[in-house]
Amino acid sequence: MKTIEYIESFITRHVAKIPAHYLLSFWFQLANIHFMRKDFDRALVWVNRILNARTPFGRNDLQVQARMLNLVIHLEQDNLFVLRYFVDSTRRFMKKIKEVQPFEQILLGFFSAIGQTPKYEHNDRYRELHQQLFTPGKEMVPAAILDFIDYKKWVEDKLHRSSTLT
């Protein structure tokens, strides 16, 4: 893990020398690495850099995925109160910059509903989400999006973890 810490330190020290569109990509990659390591607090630090940046970076694709990763992280941390706020914020942002894709509508609906669903029903919601997005032959999430955030692996991990608890 020293490599990641070194990269984080390097980027932080040289932030003024890094072109903005590269910086956004670095921040997103660091957030995603920490997310995959299940270090949600560190992942949130890097996502927040993207969300709180005052300079417009372009790269709407990364901006959208950063907001979606923010939702996933808050769900993982059981921050259900703020999850509802961020769902609305993400929805507004997406409508402002592009046409919201059907799989994105499904994800936003899932995040909105799960925040108001009793814990004992979460596994059912994950199962429904998996069926909606990843039915064989009818996968809705483009492979290019899964390169940003592997929603399929995330949902399958949630289903696997919950099945080992029962």
Side-chain angles (χ1 to χ4, degrees), residues 70-71 74 79-92:
N70 186 49
L71 297 175
H74 281 293
N79 296 335
L80 301 181
F81 179 76
V82 296
L83 183 65
R84 289 186 287 260
Y85 165 78
F86 283 123
V87 168
D88 292 339
S89 174
T90 301
R91 189 175 278 127
R92 282 190 309 273

Side-chain angles (χ1 to χ4, degrees), residues 77-117:
Q77 292 184 318
D78 280 332
N79 296 335
L80 301 181
F81 179 76
V82 296
L83 183 65
R84 289 186 287 260
Y85 165 78
F86 283 123
V87 168
D88 292 339
S89 174
T90 301
R91 189 175 278 127
R92 282 190 309 273
F93 177 81
M94 290 170 70
K95 284 182 180 179
K96 184 171 68 173
I97 64 161
K98 70 181 197 79
E99 182 178 329
V100 180
Q101 299 300 308
F103 78 91
E104 294 167 332
Q105 288 286 25
I106 291 169
L107 282 166
L108 289 170
F110 166 79
F111 288 119
S112 180
I114 199 102
Q116 301 172 25
T117 302

Side-chain angles (χ1 to χ4, degrees), residues 1 35 42 50 59 63 71 106-107 116 151:
M1 291 310 122
F35 170 73
R42 290 295 303 155
I50 297 168
R59 289 297 311 263
Q63 299 256 359
L71 297 175
I106 291 169
L107 282 166
Q116 301 172 25
Y151 295 105

